[in-house]
Amino acid sequence: MELTWHGHSTWAVTVGETNLLIDPFFDNPHTELGPASIGEPDFVLLTHGHADHIAHVPEFPDSTVVATPELAAYVGDEYGVNDTIGMNLGGTVECGDAFVTMHRADHTNGIETDYANSAGMPAGFLISDGDPAEDASEATTFYHAGDTALMTEMRDVIGSHLDPDAVAVPIGDHFTMGPQQAAIAVEWLGVDRAFPMHYDTFPPIEQDPTDFQAAVEASDSDASVEILDGDQTVIR
């Protein structure tokens, strides 16, 4: 499994021969790439409908978009996406060589930050190279937490039963949890590796990621915090 952070909440994930892109938004200071630079992924996964998570969906019209039914219908109608998979919280779908499980995130979900339009519950995704219904502990799983507050489901459901190996957590504060709560999330999840995301894009979410790293190191977690440069790839 290859993971590439393109800044903000935008991640490219490769599982076997399958390429997935999460929350395409390349207008952020941590990437030097544009949508055309990365090629057409097989699947585009959307955690929720805010503009800084769906802005560049129209650049990938031939990718299959995976999102809540409401958001999938919206991008199909408004963005010219040809193929969508509408799924919902708790569900798992096969996306090529990957198994994608959707879980809740504690956030809001107006489409393009417009309160007049709802896109269903915001979400996070667990991407695995094996079927989590068979034995989650045998699969390699990357958890993209989405835009979220700290929530006990990370401890009681995701960490305990879905067994992620690595997590990307928002640390920007203001719109999501900040470094201290994100460190608690990492401890609850029991992951080996943790990556900060959703910071420094806008003034309200400016953060020093080493504060998050220090908070994890001060906790009871054994996770290694990896602060990635934009467009950096790591292998899980």
Side-chain angles (χ1 to χ4, degrees), residues 6 36 90 93 150 154 194 206 212:
H6 293 299
V93 297
L150 182 66
M154 293 173 170
E206 290 180 356
F212 165 66

Side-chain angles (χ1 to χ4, degrees), residues 14 18 25 42 56 68-69 75 82 89 91 101 109 119 131-132 137 188 191 194 209 214 224 228 235:
T14 299
T18 302
F25 176 67
D42 300 300
H56 289 115
T68 59
V75 298
N82 296 319
L89 306 178
T101 300
N109 198 14
D131 188 348
S137 66
W188 283 355
V191 293
S224 171
L228 301 184
I235 297 175

Side-chain angles (χ1 to χ4, degrees), residues 62-78:
D62 295 323
S63 300
T64 298
V65 170
V66 180
T68 59
E70 297 87 349
L71 185 53
Y74 175 82
V75 298
D77 291 343
E78 302 295 330

Side-chain angles (χ1 to χ4, degrees), residues 29-187:
H30 287 282
T31 183
E32 297 181 357
L33 302 178
S37 303
I38 66 167
E40 190 97 10
D42 300 300
F43 297 89
V44 173
L45 279 53
L46 304 178
T47 63
H48 64 295
H50 289 166
D52 55 324
H53 296 262
I54 68 171
H56 289 115
V57 173
E59 303 297 324
F60 308 105
D62 295 323
S63 300
T64 298
V65 170
V66 180
T68 59
E70 297 87 349
L71 185 53
Y74 175 82
V75 298
D77 291 343
E78 302 295 330
Y79 284 8
V81 174
N82 296 319
D83 191 18
T84 63
I85 297 174
M87 68 179 300
N88 223 312
L89 306 178
T92 299
V93 297
E94 286 191 56
C95 295
D97 294 326
F99 291 82
V100 175
T101 300
M102 178 182 283
H103 205 281
R104 62 172 287 184
D106 272 0
H107 196 59
T108 60
N109 198 14
I111 292 173
E112 297 190 321
T113 323
D114 183 349
Y115 66 87
N117 298 294
S118 174
M121 187 77 180
F125 290 104
L126 293 105
I127 301 171
S128 303
D129 62 1
D131 188 348
E134 294 180 359
D135 188 350
S137 66
E138 293 298 317
T140 296
T141 300
F142 168 63
Y143 173 32
H144 183 295
D147 278 16
T148 189
L150 182 66
M151 57 183 184
T152 54
E153 282 84 351
M154 293 173 170
R155 179 191 64 207
D156 298 336
V157 179
I158 299 172
S160 299
H161 299 288
L162 301 179
D163 200 25
D165 300 282
V167 65
V169 285
I171 67 162
D173 213 343
H174 194 90
F175 299 113
T176 68
M177 57 188 173
Q180 299 298 325
Q181 291 190 34
I184 296 171
V186 170
E187 181 178 343

